[in-house]
Amino acid sequence: MKKIVFTIERQYGSGGRTVGKMLAENLGIHYYNKELVKLAAEESGISEELFVQADESLRSDRARFSFLRNPKTVYDGQLFTPDSGDFTSSENLFNYQAKIIRHLAETEPCVIVGRCADFVLKDYDNVVSCFIHAPMPFLLEQAAEKQPMRGEELQRFIEKTDRHKAAYYEYYTGQTWNDANNYDLCLDSSRLGFEKTMEAIKAYTRVRFGEDVFD
């Protein structure tokens, strides 16, 4: 198949990760999510644990204050060298993950979930960017399959998780996470189901890149 990269951002409980895995399996291509952290650690020589800690730090310290975002944190492709005091900063750790994302987009067809991949690859012509969402009743139903919480407690958990995702996205892109203008496709998985959501992504890809795109 042609070297198409599918990026997926998703609400918690919308099944975006499930759709991404289904798409990768259906097309016989690689799926990347947390695997990017390991690859970035190997590329940079920085401990994988530091990458995880940086993500957690952003969640706990910055999610509530995303409006204080420094414009300098918006990803621009720059990497700090080992002799820099910013070498292990959260921004540089993100930049190394972005380097991996760009390398993947240049070398293989794949599915990438999260990590602001749509923004990192915004200048690439071979990218299909997707945002998977759903109304709260559906999110609650799906989330209940993985979480012990129910009712208002579960809804608060979903909303908090999505606020964290939004803060992470806005911190590194300067854009609004759930703004349809950022994506090629915004799909409601509650209306289509996971299988048809995957098929909708494939149908769009055929229309855009040609019927032979998956040959």
Side-chain angles (χ1 to χ4, degrees), residues 85-104:
D86 291 319
F87 182 60
T88 58
S89 66
S90 59
E91 290 74 29
N92 204 42
L93 298 180
F94 176 86
N95 291 346
Y96 266 105
Q97 292 178 77
K99 180 182 179 181
I100 296 298
I101 290 170
R102 291 167 70 93
H103 174 72
L104 292 172

Side-chain angles (χ1 to χ4, degrees), residues 71-82:
K72 292 182 179 180
T73 66
V74 173
Y75 171 72
D76 61 4
Q78 180 183 5
L79 284 170
F80 296 108
T81 57

Side-chain angles (χ1 to χ4, degrees), residues 7 26 28 32-33 39 48 51 53 58 63 75 93 104 106 114 121 126 170 175-176 200:
T7 70
N26 181 270
Y32 296 97
N33 185 1
L39 292 173
E48 188 174 339
F51 282 87
Q53 289 175 355
L58 179 63
Y75 171 72
L93 298 180
L104 292 172
E106 292 164 4
L121 301 177
N126 62 324
E170 292 170 17
Q175 298 180 348
T176 302

